[in-house]
Amino acid sequence: MPRRPFSDGSRGDERLIRQLPALLRQHRPDLMQGEKLYRSPAGFTSWSGHWAKAVAVELALERSEAIHDHVGIWGAKVCQWARETGAEPRFLSPALAQAFLQTEKPTLTLDLPRDISCFRLLLPKGTLFSEEGPEIRSVVVAEVRALEGWLPGNFQTAGGGLSCVGLGEDGSTYLASNVLDPAARAQQPEHTDFSPTLWDWDADGVKGTASRMEQLCVHALLVQLYAKHLVTEGEIPPAAAAKGFGGGAMAGGATADEVRAPVWLGKDYQLQRQPGGEPGTAKGTWQRGHWRTLSPLAEPVAAPMEWVEPVLAG
């Protein structure tokens, strides 16, 4: 789950990242049509910026192949899949993001429904930071079983699972995976932990980021599958007045009829709280949440799951 800058330096070129949408409109307008589809609500990275970063990861495939960067190769294919299949964004509310981080991550199994093949998870600002400092404000999440038959022949997808490609605000790319069959090797051949040798020095540093990103993505998927009352459509944000990065006039010139309403996860969600002073509970502590399996109605239907929400004391 290493970080891979777009630039040749050891860190992402922030100036280049700010210019990405304009540069890609100029040189690859065929890949930038999707930036017209949405506007991000306040508190999120701009949709135009997210789209441009994902396209840039996709376009880096040839370079990643040349230097045998397995992480870059996998990230490029996931971003390409998301673009070609029209993967939609899901805007995660701050309260639900906090609840996700206080919920135990379940072990997903091979009978997980295939209803959702890919989505883009946009995180509220301040939710996920890399160990190096920059934020990760959007993640492309793919269900690997859906990619079978589409990926090149040299890709292996034993066991299936989720691939989570995090797009850092400084241009770095992070990769985490959740394998449905714990006994199976991860999706990328010869690199079961997605950590090529040149990243070994940072293996401990990126592990925490990968775990948190994976946790947010797994819970976001399960909410869409089993807690659909938390998935709601919001109002289309007004176009930004200023021109430039993420600005309305620069974001592909979309008209009001072209822009789609954002879909929220937990737009009106409120954290569960327990009054202070209860025996055995200290103010500000969490009773962690978890997912529990309900009995299936009939075989071979997979058992549905129910979210037991975390509770904050005080």
Side-chain angles (χ1 to χ4, degrees):
M1 202 284 306
R3 60 198 305 269
R4 168 63 63 188
F6 297 150
S7 66
D8 293 331
S10 60
R11 297 182 63 84
D13 185 335
E14 295 184 7
R15 184 168 175 232
L16 174 62
I17 300 310
R18 289 194 297 269
Q19 295 175 343
L20 263 179
L23 289 172
L24 289 171
R25 287 183 210 115
Q26 180 181 358
H27 297 287
R28 290 304 304 268
D30 56 315
L31 299 181
M32 289 298 288
Q33 296 302 308
E35 70 164 343
K36 302 176 181 179
L37 298 178
Y38 296 92
R39 297 181 191 134
S40 292
F44 292 86
T45 193
S46 76
W47 172 253
S48 175
H50 160 78
W51 185 270
K53 285 194 282 287
V55 168
V57 172
E58 178 183 344
L59 291 176
L61 175 61
E62 184 175 342
R63 178 177 181 271
S64 296
E65 290 177 332
I67 63 174
H68 306 290
D69 172 15
H70 296 271
V71 173
I73 294 169
W74 188 263
K77 299 308 291 184
V78 169
C79 288
Q80 180 185 352
W81 168 259
R83 180 181 58 80
E84 292 186 357
T85 59
E88 297 179 348
R90 297 292 182 259
F91 294 89
L92 180 62
S93 74
L96 192 57
Q98 187 176 4
F100 282 174
L101 293 173
Q102 296 297 332
T103 299
E104 301 292 340
K105 179 171 56 67
T107 300
L108 303 182
T109 60
L110 289 168
D111 61 359
L112 182 76
R114 299 181 181 226
D115 300 17
I116 301 172
S117 63
C118 193
F119 64 96
R120 302 169 186 268
L121 184 63
L122 276 79
L123 304 174
K125 292 180 181 179
T127 298
L128 183 63
F129 290 86
S130 67
E131 274 71 12
E132 294 87 354
E135 280 193 69
I136 301 169
R137 294 182 184 168
S138 61
V139 188
V140 181
V141 186
E143 222 282 31
V144 176
R145 292 176 298 179
L147 278 70
E148 294 174 354
W150 177 84
L151 288 167
N154 62 329
F155 276 75
Q156 299 175 6
T157 57
L162 296 186
S163 274
C164 312
V165 180
L167 306 176
E169 289 298 288
D170 66 339
S172 302
T173 302
Y174 290 81
L175 186 58
S177 64
N178 184 286
V179 182
L180 298 183
D181 181 358
R185 292 174 61 85
Q187 296 88 340
Q188 187 65 50
E190 300 180 4
H191 293 280
T192 58
D193 61 352
F194 294 103
S195 299
T197 304
L198 65 116
W199 295 107
D200 285 348
W201 66 273
D202 203 21
D204 293 334
V206 301
K207 185 176 180 180
T209 300
S211 178
R212 292 190 299 275
M213 183 166 69
E214 179 187 340
Q215 187 170 2
L216 291 165
C217 294
V218 167
H219 295 319
L221 173 65
L222 293 177
V223 159
Q224 293 177 79
L225 291 173
Y226 300 116
K228 295 183 180 180
H229 63 284
L230 293 173
V231 184
T232 57
E233 190 174 280
E235 296 182 358
I236 298 176
K243 296 183 179 180
F245 183 77
M250 291 294 290
T255 66
D257 292 339
E258 292 178 298
V259 180
R260 302 173 185 174
V263 176
W264 285 83
L265 301 183
K267 184 177 186 298
D268 300 315
Y269 178 79
Q270 295 184 356
L271 293 170
Q272 300 297 308
R273 298 180 181 272
Q274 176 179 302
E278 294 289 331
T281 61
K283 185 177 181 179
T285 60
W286 285 93
Q287 177 182 327
R288 290 180 64 80
H290 62 277
W291 289 88
R292 64 185 178 193
T293 303
L294 303 177
S295 297
L297 297 176
E299 297 292 349
V301 178
M305 301 181 74
E306 179 183 57
W307 183 33
V308 179
E309 301 174 38
V311 179
L312 178 63

